[in-house]
Amino acid sequence: MSTLEKLFYSVMCGTQDKNIKFKDLQKLLNVLGFKYRVKGDHFIYYYKELPENLNIQPVKNMAKPYQVKQIREYLLKYHFGL
């Protein structure tokens, strides 16, 4: 299992939300095909023509747990996978 697959599993299982590094989360979204724009410390990710955006911010070098949950729900809603 590759590092990216482990990261995807960690995000999707929901038990590691507090332990996801922000850079790793960005890497996963980039591999899945998301584009982003930056406004201050807000990274706004969007995917082609999908109506919703993902807004994430780092806390030091970690992702916010509630934002990891939002990303998981987004990926499930729109059937994303590796």
Side-chain angles (χ1 to χ4, degrees):
M1 183 180 269
S2 74
T3 314
L4 195 55
E5 289 170 329
K6 289 179 185 176
L7 176 61
F8 183 76
Y9 178 74
S10 294
V11 169
M12 298 309 284
C13 76
T15 59
Q16 298 292 320
D17 290 356
K18 295 179 185 176
N19 300 322
I20 305 291
K21 291 186 179 179
F22 187 76
K23 291 288 184 189
D24 291 341
L25 193 58
Q26 286 184 300
K27 184 179 182 183
L28 176 65
L29 291 172
N30 290 333
V31 167
L32 290 173
F34 285 83
K35 304 293 182 203
Y36 71 94
R37 62 184 187 274
V38 180
K39 189 166 189 172
D41 65 344
H42 293 253
F43 291 77
I44 302 160
Y45 281 84
Y46 55 94
Y47 189 85
K48 297 179 184 174
E49 298 299 319
L50 292 181
E52 299 174 56
N53 294 332
L54 295 168
N55 184 357
I56 60 174
Q57 306 92 35
V59 176
K60 298 187 180 178
N61 67 337
M62 301 301 284
K64 294 181 179 181
Y66 80 91
Q67 291 176 342
V68 175
K69 181 181 177 187
Q70 288 174 343
I71 290 170
R72 177 174 48 257
E73 290 170 355
Y74 186 95
L75 296 177
L76 288 170
K77 182 178 181 178
Y78 294 109
H79 308 289
F80 279 87
L82 288 179

